[in-house]
Amino acid sequence: MEATQKRQKDFYIDLDNRIRKIETAAAEGKPAAATPGEGAPADPAAEMRDYETALTLFKSAKYNEALAAFLGFIKNHGNSNLLANAHYWAASAHFQLREYAKAAELFAKVSAAWPNDAKAPDALLGKANSQQEAGM
């Protein structure tokens, strides 16, 4: 029951962070970020749709599909404000698939690349849990 409550709280925090980033970007009048490898501006609706699709797969316990979707998101939306979250959830999918070394690596990337992100403390805990499960 506690794990379910923590997971639900994480989802709400994640949603709140994403909404806050969108509102901040809109208030600052930031232009859309360019997709890596392309000169065209990113489509914010497609970016959000891709992220939400991946997160829904994760919530539905479809971890292989969620992992593929998050990795695709990371590849296709390299300048997204949601990159830290995408890495976090990809790491979580690895953890659920018992791929602890890969999970630890991605969790470490979140805390190293985005130390001030709301997901950084959770990523550090995820890294420690992954290392413990892997016997590292």
Side-chain angles (χ1 to χ4, degrees):
M1 181 65 131
E2 289 178 26
T4 302
Q5 288 175 338
K6 182 185 181 327
R7 186 173 173 196
Q8 189 65 34
K9 183 180 176 185
D10 288 345
F11 288 138
Y12 285 123
I13 290 170
D14 181 56
L15 178 63
D16 183 55
N17 287 335
R18 288 183 280 132
I19 290 171
R20 193 172 318 126
K21 286 178 184 178
I22 292 169
E23 289 173 344
T24 302
E28 293 174 358
K30 288 185 179 177
T35 304
E38 297 179 13
D43 179 6
E47 179 180 317
M48 188 57 74
R49 183 188 63 240
D50 291 349
Y51 181 83
E52 290 295 331
T53 299
L55 192 57
T56 299
L57 289 167
F58 185 87
K59 290 177 186 178
S60 300
K62 296 178 180 177
Y63 302 118
N64 281 317
E65 294 91 341
L67 177 59
F70 279 119
L71 293 177
F73 178 90
I74 291 166
K75 179 181 176 187
N76 295 327
H77 304 287
N79 293 327
S80 173
N81 290 334
L82 300 171
L83 274 183
N85 290 338
H87 279 84
Y88 176 85
W89 291 113
S92 296
H94 275 302
F95 186 88
Q96 293 299 322
L97 294 168
R98 293 179 167 73
E99 297 171 347
Y100 301 119
K102 291 179 182 178
E105 184 181 322
L106 271 179
F107 280 130
K109 184 170 184 173
V110 173
S111 60
W114 300 278
N116 296 324
D117 192 87
K119 285 289 186 209
D122 291 334
L124 289 172
L125 178 60
K127 177 184 173 188
N129 289 336
S130 298
Q131 290 174 329
Q132 183 177 17
E133 290 294 329
M136 299 169 126

